[in-house]
């Protein structure tokens, strides 16, 4: 076999290998998206990092929402880091919320050092989350964008972060956090956009309480008062 023929055979072999992995990864990602069942999350994450683009193109070809690929990646990352996250005390955790979760008539103002300062008017779910988080000892920041979020992480230097955003942004945010040695957990928005977005508040509360055991529900004022009195 000549040199040129050998190169041709190798090229075809590599192409077939890439195609096979793309098909397998597309099926795996789709299955995780539908079932949320994950085995060997570290292996899946490594392969997703390599085959991100071809898998997205395949989803697009079959008219499946490509955002699902980012969503699956965040689910896999959550699984990998959940145990480590649970060991971080609440005082070392930072919750980063996007400003688009606010009510359109939100009266809060932007503080360049703290983000948007919620005045707990009650028009959106942030007031309740902030109260619960603060009762647990966790800090909440509301940010106008990814750059501001990165600045807040640099400023507060948390050991763990809970990020809420659209799947593509939280995936990016989680990767930045990991680069800085911050353990991430993420909760994707149910409805993305610039305003009037939505999140599963119960899921966010579940993540906030990871590793805190059977912490009493301090959002209940009566319980809180009883604890303080005792
Ligand atoms: S609860 Fe806070 S964030 Fe939500 S609308 Fe009121 S002030 Fe804005």
């Amino acid at each position: 076999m000549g040199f040129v023929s050998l190169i041709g055979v190798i090229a075809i072999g590599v192409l077939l290998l890439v195609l096979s992995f793309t098909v397998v990864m597309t099926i795996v990602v789709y299955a995780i998206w539908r079932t949320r069942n994950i085995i060997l999350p570290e292996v899946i994450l490594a392969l997703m990092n390599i085959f991100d683009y071809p898998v997205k193109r395949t989803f697009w070809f079959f008219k499946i929402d490509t955002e699902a690929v980012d969503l699956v990646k965040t689910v896999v990352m959550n699984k990998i880091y959940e145990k480590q996250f649970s060991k971080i005390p609440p005082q070392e955790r930072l919750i980063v919320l996007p400003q688009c979760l606010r009510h359109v008539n939100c009266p809060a103002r932007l503080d360049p050092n703290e983000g948007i300062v919620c005045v707990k008017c009650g028009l959106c779910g942030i007031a309740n989350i902030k109260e619960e988080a603060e009762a647990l000892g966790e800090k909440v920041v509301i940010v106008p964008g990814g750059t501001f979020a990165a600045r807040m992480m640099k400023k507060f230097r948390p050991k763990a972060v809970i990020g809420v955003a659209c799947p593509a942004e939280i995936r990016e945010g989680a990767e930045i956090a990991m680069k800085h040695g911050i353990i991430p957990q993420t909760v994707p928005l149910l409805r993305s956009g610039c305003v009037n977005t939505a999140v599963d508040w119960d899921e966010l509360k579940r993540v906030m309480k990871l590793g805190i055991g059977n912490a009493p529900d301090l959002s209940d004022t009566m319980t809180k008062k009883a604890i303080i009195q005792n």
Side-chain angles (χ1 to χ4, degrees):
M1 189 185 289
F3 181 70
V4 176
S5 310
L6 183 65
I7 296 287
V9 169
I10 291 172
I12 290 169
V14 170
L15 190 67
L16 285 176
L17 204 65
V18 170
L19 278 174
S20 312
F21 266 104
T22 301
V23 171
V24 171
M25 282 313 295
T26 302
I27 293 168
V28 168
V29 171
Y30 186 81
I32 295 173
W33 181 46
R34 303 304 292 180
T35 65
R36 294 287 193 278
N37 284 331
I38 307 165
I39 46 162
L40 301 174
E42 286 86 358
V43 177
I44 289 171
L45 185 62
L47 288 171
M48 281 189 81
N49 284 335
I50 299 168
F51 292 94
D52 185 80
Y53 182 73
V55 169
K56 273 189 180 162
R57 292 300 292 172
T58 315
F59 266 58
W60 172 83
F61 182 79
F62 286 107
K63 296 186 171 35
I64 305 168
D65 187 359
T66 53
E67 213 176 49
V69 181
D70 292 320
L71 187 66
V72 167
K73 201 164 178 185
T74 65
V75 171
V76 174
M77 278 196 223
N78 282 350
K79 177 92 175 167
I80 292 172
Y81 291 103
E82 190 176 302
K83 265 193 193 147
Q84 277 175 271
F85 178 92
S86 301
K87 289 178 189 155
I88 309 280
Q91 293 78 10
E92 306 272 8
R93 299 177 184 180
L94 180 68
I95 302 168
V96 182
L97 303 178
Q99 68 160 344
C100 56
L101 267 178
R102 297 184 296 158
H103 190 274
V104 284
N105 296 323
C106 174
R109 294 280 170 264
L110 174 66
D111 179 311
N113 297 312
E114 291 278 331
I116 289 150
V117 184
C118 171
V119 293
K120 298 181 182 170
C121 74
L123 281 174
C124 77
I126 292 178
N128 175 261
I129 278 293
K130 206 166 148 57
E131 252 173 42
E132 284 210 29
E134 285 167 356
L136 290 169
E138 295 174 357
K139 175 144 188 79
V140 178
V141 289
I142 307 160
V143 297
T147 312
F148 205 103
R151 184 137 58 91
M152 291 295 98
M153 281 196 260
K154 216 170 161 188
K155 179 182 172 186
F156 292 109
R157 301 197 173 281
K159 288 194 174 147
V161 65
I162 303 172
V164 177
C166 60
E169 272 188 9
I170 41 174
R171 189 191 106 168
E172 225 179 282
E175 285 167 354
I176 293 170
M178 283 183 302
K179 269 186 202 153
H180 289 87
I182 302 168
I183 309 298
Q185 285 291 292
T186 55
V187 182
L189 288 173
L190 295 174
R191 186 175 59 235
S192 301
C194 298
V195 288
N196 213 13
T197 55
V199 70
D200 182 343
W201 295 110
D202 290 336
E203 172 62 7
L204 177 54
K205 287 178 191 178
R206 183 193 70 78
V207 177
M208 279 162 49
K209 291 174 185 170
L210 278 174
I212 302 181
N214 295 323
D217 183 1
L218 296 175
S219 63
D220 179 330
T221 313
M222 295 298 287
T223 311
K224 203 191 296 183
K225 278 185 185 159
I227 290 168
I228 291 165
Q229 276 165 13
N230 290 329

